[in-house]
Amino acid sequence: MKNRRHSKYTMQLFTALCLLLPLSIYAQQAAQIRVIEEEAIPFTRFLSKADFDQRYPGKLLSDAAKLDTGWYVIYQHESLNYYFGPMLLESTGQDYFEQFKETVGEAVDQRPSIEGYRLELSFEPQIATTNPSGSTPPQSGEPQIGSGTPQPAPKPSIFDFIKRIFGFG
């Protein structure tokens, strides 16, 4: 009798663990950020999700603080956390943002049940501190001038290399 009770308890515990494991894996995946190159945005218009995911797997990150510095078009909905970028120039990000906004708008028109998503252009990674004056840093999409947010360093070019060789840089 005691052996049956122990066996039943073990079986219930095993079943509970089997049910919780997929939920914990799902929660971990839902929290991950998928960083995809911004050139993929035009393909969201005509590729199926499966084809898009195969063609642009991106890079998975567990935390937004691990993002490379730059401008990102961010789309979040339910378990999707897509960060397209990084882009050096805000104007480039704005162009891609407008293009993606149009694509998302068309998708929502076709399926009005799509709601509660986040779509924005943001300079990442965000610094979650306040300015010395006590005010909060500017919201994404607002000018970052004087906010303490480091701007990305310009990428070296072949011309910079040639200047250094000849002693001009």
Side-chain angles (χ1 to χ4, degrees):
M1 183 83 156
K2 194 176 190 181
N3 215 5
R4 272 189 168 167
R5 197 180 302 151
H6 179 66
S7 175
K8 185 177 178 183
Y9 175 74
T10 305
M11 204 53 183
Q12 287 174 340
L13 182 61
F14 179 73
T15 303
L17 287 175
C18 286
L19 292 173
L20 290 177
L21 182 63
L23 290 175
S24 66
I25 291 171
Y26 174 77
Q28 182 181 10
Q29 287 178 343
Q32 288 187 328
I33 294 171
R34 189 166 150 198
V35 180
I36 305 166
E37 57 268 16
E38 67 274 10
E39 293 88 10
I41 287 177
F43 294 92
T44 61
R45 184 172 289 255
F46 58 86
L47 287 178
S48 69
K49 183 178 179 333
D51 290 340
F52 181 82
D53 289 347
Q54 183 178 4
R55 186 166 180 173
Y56 297 101
K59 180 173 78 170
L60 293 177
L61 296 178
S62 60
D63 185 15
K66 295 178 182 178
L67 289 167
D68 291 334
T69 303
W71 290 95
Y72 289 85
V73 174
I74 300 171
Y75 177 76
Q76 294 177 319
H77 182 249
E78 296 175 354
S79 65
L80 298 177
N81 290 308
Y82 289 171
Y83 281 59
F84 294 94
M87 292 166 269
L88 183 61
L89 301 173
E90 182 181 12
S91 59
T92 304
Q94 192 64 41
D95 291 341
Y96 278 113
F97 173 76
E98 291 300 323
Q99 189 175 18
F100 196 58
K101 187 169 129 180
E102 187 177 311
T103 302
V104 170
E106 290 172 3
V108 170
D109 288 345
Q110 291 176 6
R111 291 182 46 205
S113 62
I114 299 174
E115 55 185 35
Y117 61 87
R118 173 183 169 215
L119 178 61
E120 70 175 328
L121 176 64
S122 179
F123 190 82
E124 298 292 332
Q126 292 287 324
I127 299 172
T129 60
T130 58
N131 293 335
S133 64
S135 63
T136 58
Q139 295 298 314
S140 57
E142 293 180 10
Q144 299 290 319
I145 299 169
S147 68
T149 304
Q151 294 294 323
K155 293 182 181 177
S157 71
I158 188 72
F159 299 110
D160 294 332
F161 177 72
I162 292 170
K163 284 186 207 176
R164 277 192 309 222
I165 288 176
F166 290 106
F168 294 112

